[in-house]
Amino acid sequence: MSIGLGLIGTGFMGKAHALAYRAAGAVFGDLPQVRLALLCDTPRDKADAMARQFGFEAATDEWRELAASPDVDIVSITTPNALHKEMALAAIAAGKHVHCEKPMALTLEDAREMEAAARRSGVRTIIGYNYIHNPAFAHARRLIEEGVVGRPVHFRGIVDEDYQADPDLPWTWRAKRADAGLGALGDLGCHLVSMAVGLMGPVESLVADTQIIHQTRPLGDGSGRGTVENEDAASAILRFHGGAQGALSTSRSAWGRKNKLDFEVHGTKGMIAFSQERMNELQLYVNDGPRSQQGFRTILTGPEHPPYGAFCPAPGHQLGFGDLKTIEAASFLRAIAGDAPNHPDFTAALSFEAVIHAIDVSAREGRRVNL
Amino acid sequence: MSIGLGLIGTGFMGKAHALAYRAAGAVFGDLPQVRLALLCDTPRDKADAMARQFGFEAATDEWRELAASPDVDIVSITTPNALHKEMALAAIAAGKHVHCEKPMALTLEDAREMEAAARRSGVRTIIGYNYIHNPAFAHARRLIEEGVVGRPVHFRGIVDEDYQADPDLPWTWRAKRADAGLGALGDLGCHLVSMAVGLMGPVESLVADTQIIHQTRPLGDGSGRGTVENEDAASAILRFHGGAQGALSTSRSAWGRKNKLDFEVHGTKGMIAFSQERMNELQLYVNDGPRSQQGFRTILTGPEHPPYGAFCPAPGHQLGFGDLKTIEAASFLRAIAGDAPNHPDFTAALSFEAVIHAIDVSAREGRRVNL
Amino acid sequence: MSIGLGLIGTGFMGKAHALAYRAAGAVFGDLPQVRLALLCDTPRDKADAMARQFGFEAATDEWRELAASPDVDIVSITTPNALHKEMALAAIAAGKHVHCEKPMALTLEDAREMEAAARRSGVRTIIGYNYIHNPAFAHARRLIEEGVVGRPVHFRGIVDEDYQADPDLPWTWRAKRADAGLGALGDLGCHLVSMAVGLMGPVESLVADTQIIHQTRPLGDGSGRGTVENEDAASAILRFHGGAQGALSTSRSAWGRKNKLDFEVHGTKGMIAFSQERMNELQLYVNDGPRSQQGFRTILTGPEHPPYGAFCPAPGHQLGFGDLKTIEAASFLRAIAGDAPNHPDFTAALSFEAVIHAIDVSAREGRRVNL
Amino acid sequence: MSIGLGLIGTGFMGKAHALAYRAAGAVFGDLPQVRLALLCDTPRDKADAMARQFGFEAATDEWRELAASPDVDIVSITTPNALHKEMALAAIAAGKHVHCEKPMALTLEDAREMEAAARRSGVRTIIGYNYIHNPAFAHARRLIEEGVVGRPVHFRGIVDEDYQADPDLPWTWRAKRADAGLGALGDLGCHLVSMAVGLMGPVESLVADTQIIHQTRPLGDGSGRGTVENEDAASAILRFHGGAQGALSTSRSAWGRKNKLDFEVHGTKGMIAFSQERMNELQLYVNDGPRSQQGFRTILTGPEHPPYGAFCPAPGHQLGFGDLKTIEAASFLRAIAGDAPNHPDFTAALSFEAVIHAIDVSAREGRRVNL
């Protein structure tokens, strides 16, 4: 069996998907064969050039052609968020499996529509919540499941970057809700939610607030200043279904933070802490052994933390961001081949994205929002 | 001029006050003379023994005697929180300056009564918010004032310890609101608020939630389990008067955290971050110079960060917790001698403590609370 | 032009080479086409299986066949060190470019023979000193070249792992000098030397000592204990040609260290420090600006640090160990295509390995050794 | 019993001694009474002023008077190193206990003379190796004694500061061997040796090298440049009597290092690591429990690590540099009162300082030096 990949987009995430699907089979010995069948970008000569670089068999500048192509089994969607819905619905309609970048869509309604379509169709879907594929994250989950830190009772999370920290950056369509949807919550916050839910279970309700730090930005043509319509920062206080509580914050205007995506799980016997900027480390404290020897341990990921060993048999040698994407692609290929769940599928991802929209609603309406 | 110190209590904070007032004059060359005049504890022989150890001239087991003693100019109150109010009011009534540990009182009403009495009387007061006397904290304030990180727009804070993390710890009076007041907010959260307000200015309003992680605890006499009435953890999302926003969280049940009291100030040009468990370090990021050389700097406090140099002329040699208390005592002595503000006095401290009570109200009533 | 890769070995480094050459062309847009032509391992069915997994066109269990194959332009040698020499000489004799793992050979004499053969032949060569391909390392070099830390005057380095820390590990051929050559120096120390020389220039002379921590190890067949003949740990104090001095240490028996490969460059204006276990960070201190704001900066690598951007346009997203190998492969492909130096070629690598053998001589003979 | 302290010097270390002896009795409940009897400095009015500030009963500008005074039981010597010998010999001759700062003297011969005099006299002596009084250090020793990390087999140490890093600093007498003795080794290196010996036992032999980074410095009067005669940096490779080996390095010209005094003890079951710039933390790795949960633990010192609890009953609240001096003073008072060893006395300190002089000899003579 050979699976044909059709990839739409060649930017940050497009390249990440291309590299991941190129690498996955060689890293893991158990995957079905993948063909890099068709690459779509515009203009056409760019699509051709990138297809050559990435090793795709063919190129197109018509995404609908890609979605309909008999050579394509998986449609990978890495275009701007506003385009996800239409592309995903077309791919699903054509019976293709869909690998779509997050967030699913600009609005919760659109995401729901996508989820319903996927559920009805029976195709396999996955949303690019790459950070939950980190062996360190999988280990955190395992530690919780095995009771190493006891019952998880409290969660803390932060996800910050600084790509909108500079007040002098020009206004772009990303500041417009109609074109970009949410701000920091859609770009960053949803990643943190994917981790929170993965560790603590589903969110029951929340109170929240959001902040537009830079209310206006200079228009690129020098004609004045444009209004920023979506949040630069947001915070929420969560209640989980299981009884735990927690807090999370995000900012896209946090100077010096490049990919700060940190969480803490407070358990009744210990604590787990993680920071994406040191993605090969997991912090673990367990109330065990002599008190005088207790402390947070810095666990360096290694072969003891699958699937790290598929990349490197030596511990502490470090995986990178691209490797997370390779794990994601591999897991999707396994799901398609039939022997594993595809996580997070549109249904799971919808549950993550419902949280960021609930944060937005809570902030705008000044009330607790139930999920 | 010689100032007589009367100290009530010889526990954690009592000893800290005794050591601080012993050291202050020798550390700083500009202070009025202090006499360790009178020490109060019960029973009397304990008071005598500790007076000998701490170097006090006399001892008593009657705090009212201390508050009234003509040998005493400052009354230092380090007793359980429920006793602060009565002692402070008596000391103020006797015309004594008052150095009281935090929080001021069990309820906001009591704290207000103390503040009003102090304001009317004209005595000098200070509440033991020791962490804001850290040279690293003073430096953070200075960096903000000098515009090094631009306009402060966002705040984050955490204060966690693990003294109530163990589910098997017995129930004590500390779990009872009538005897202990608030939980983590009163023990820990108010310290963080003192820093937040010191850096960002006053809080305008907030939404919050609190959590009792361990709902009951075993009674010491084996007769069953007692109910925990005050919060193990709390989170709040703040709006500051100046337009900034922020979030803070606290837990007394956070395994592995011993004195985690962390903050971040997000500015329009940079960021400042601090962690009390590494209290001699300040993290600073400034968007300045070549992008390829930007990064968070770990500034080790030294003589460039007053009053570090009064303790040690060599940078990086580390102050300790006790030194913060010495700085606090010195600042109060300077205030009494007339040439400096006494910060935080009861009025300032009341503004901190109003925030933790607002968090409690917001959580209980499920609404935004204005301050 | 298409370059055929012949890879010998499918273990740790064999897989690393396969993944690197698969990825290189897709990551970098400027490389010649690579064909994964021929894979060699034994037994034959393993070679076949791994060729399928890695995407090679053909497989063999005869390395001489691979070295002679007209389909092969590059011979990649990732077999045990004792085999490097014979394979490299055969490949060179066949006019193939050679990509060989480090160390070059068991003895300095063998390495010299390899270097001489390569020099005479005109083929391109590269030795797998992968850590010097880290963008963070390249940035360290650039900072020195640009004078940001002034004149480099002192070097410190450590490279430690714990794969031989357990006293109960069985004796293997790796403990035998005739089969394995040097111990920690050959496995680890030479990596550190590659960095030291890259940053500080060539070594002039040194004094050193070595240590066999576990003098014997249990024989696997239970028949007693075998003697460990090569060093578990070594230290050397270096004088560089440029006048700087420095020290380095290595251990393969350092519990908890997984890939600790740390260096410091002390300059007259600042310092650079690096730790491989946090390979996406570079520490920089510059004596510049207000003293009160000075501190070590943690620079997170990003697009400002080429060729990071070829992997990911967002800073702080982390490269991994495999990415270093991809950069190495890409640089070799560029060299073969004619427009770049191939570093480190056999000549440069020989200069690194001369240092570890000098350390061994200094320790055994108790004298300063000149290089 | 009351012990009279005579303190010579009011600079960095003079103040540290004054504060330490003021605090010791109040911190620890088991000490003999101390009187701050007599303070010596020049000129006389400075002595008077500092005596007032520090709380001494009397002042003098004649150190011989202090050494002879019947009010004085302990002579504390904190003057420049060249004066230690004469003062210590006079104090010993007068039957006083001697608390002297490190290093003992400019030359090993002088230190030996001091040690012999102290040994013959029977007075108590202590040298100010303050860092070994850190509860974290005591804990490291205990972990080794209890076998937690197995047999210690290897040591690493670094002690760096940057007070001589700036090439433009003027020449001072500190650069002259006749006036200042050794350079970085005397200022810094001996502290590290005190830790190495405390953890690993006595040094048997070593090879070493030293470096004068800044060969000349501008004379303060603008008349040219003066020669730097003592080392800015040094490294040594040690063999310990017990069979372990190790390496240490020191520099006084290491930009950004303020009090970096780091060590690692490699054991057969684990590792201990420490960094003075984070003096309240101890790193511990033990090969124990599931491999997937192993990692270096950051142990925050607390009441479990005596005598931390005498300062503060709450863990993680941080001791400071001054507190180490208080522990040192307390230990000396206990020794004088008769119930404890005074460590390090002149004999122990001589064994530390023999090592730094051996490093100097090894570097100058190019040979292994036995101790």
Side-chain angles (χ1 to χ4, degrees), chain A residues 274-302:
Chain A
F274 171 81
S275 186
Q276 177 67 26
E277 285 182 351
R278 290 178 173 166
M279 61 171 266
N280 289 279
E281 301 179 10
L282 193 69
Q283 302 286 325
L284 172 66
Y285 185 99
V286 182
N287 175 33
D288 199 10
R291 184 63 58 99
S292 65
Q293 296 178 28
Q294 290 184 4
F296 275 90
R297 298 172 210 181
T298 302
I299 302 172
L300 279 172
T301 45

Side-chain angles (χ1 to χ4, degrees), chain D residues 46 84 134 141 249 328:
Chain D
K46 182 181 177 191
H84 290 182
N134 188 337
R141 279 175 56 100
S249 292
E328 179 180 298

Side-chain angles (χ1 to χ4, degrees), chain A residues 45-277:
Chain A
D45 56 352
K46 183 181 177 191
D48 286 336
M50 298 316 291
R52 248 189 328 271
Q53 178 174 337
F54 293 167
F56 276 77
E57 297 169 0
T60 177
D61 56 359
E62 287 286 351
W63 70 261
R64 290 181 187 282
E65 179 194 324
L66 182 147
S69 166
D71 291 339
V72 165
D73 300 296
I74 297 172
V75 174
S76 249
I77 302 170
T78 69
T79 50
N81 304 337
L83 303 173
H84 290 182
K85 180 187 165 190
E86 189 179 11
M87 290 174 173
L89 292 179
I92 291 167
K96 311 298 188 188
H97 307 295
V98 180
H99 187 168
C100 183
E101 273 308 306
K102 44 62 55 186
M104 296 171 75
L106 299 194
T107 67
L108 188 57
E109 292 62 40
D110 284 353
R112 281 188 181 130
E113 197 177 331
M114 292 162 73
E115 190 270 341
R119 198 152 26 82
R120 280 193 307 267
S121 74
V123 302
R124 295 284 194 160
T125 58
I126 192 168
I127 300 287
Y129 283 98
N130 28 260
Y131 298 114
I132 61 179
H133 299 289
N134 188 338
F137 183 77
H139 190 53
R141 279 176 55 101
R142 208 174 307 120
L143 290 170
I144 294 170
E145 284 163 18
E146 292 173 358
V148 173
V149 293
R151 183 168 51 89
V153 291
H154 198 78
F155 177 86
R156 301 268 179 72
I158 284 178
V159 53
D160 284 353
E161 296 196 10
D162 66 2
Y163 59 93
Q164 292 290 304
D166 190 338
D168 299 330
L169 286 176
W171 187 94
T172 71
W173 61 270
R174 292 190 155 274
K176 197 167 172 183
R177 282 188 83 111
D179 294 343
L182 297 174
L185 286 166
D187 288 350
L188 310 176
C190 56
H191 276 301
L192 182 55
V193 172
S194 76
M195 298 177 120
V197 172
L199 295 162
M200 308 294 291
V203 175
E204 182 187 86
S205 70
L206 57 84
V207 291
D209 205 0
T210 58
Q211 179 185 13
I212 301 176
I213 291 173
H214 304 291
Q215 305 271 348
T216 63
R217 289 191 172 277
L219 293 171
D221 59 4
S223 69
R225 300 184 68 85
T227 300
V228 175
E229 296 175 0
N230 51 21
E231 76 290 346
D232 290 311
S235 295
I237 310 175
L238 312 174
R239 293 183 185 168
F240 294 92
H241 272 286
Q245 297 192 14
L248 57 82
S249 291
T250 182
S251 173
R252 63 184 180 189
S253 301
W255 272 119
R257 304 308 187 190
K258 304 307 177 186
N259 194 14
K260 186 182 174 71
L261 173 50
D262 296 5
F263 67 76
E264 289 178 358
V265 174
H266 300 216
T268 52
K269 292 185 189 166
M271 188 183 292
I272 298 169
F274 171 81
S275 186
Q276 177 67 26
E277 285 182 351

Side-chain angles (χ1 to χ4, degrees), chain B residues 246-267:
Chain B
L248 56 82
S249 291
T250 183
S251 173
R252 63 185 181 188
S253 301
W255 272 120
R257 305 307 187 189
K258 305 307 177 185
N259 194 14
K260 187 182 173 70
L261 174 50
D262 296 5
F263 67 75
E264 287 179 358
V265 174
H266 300 216

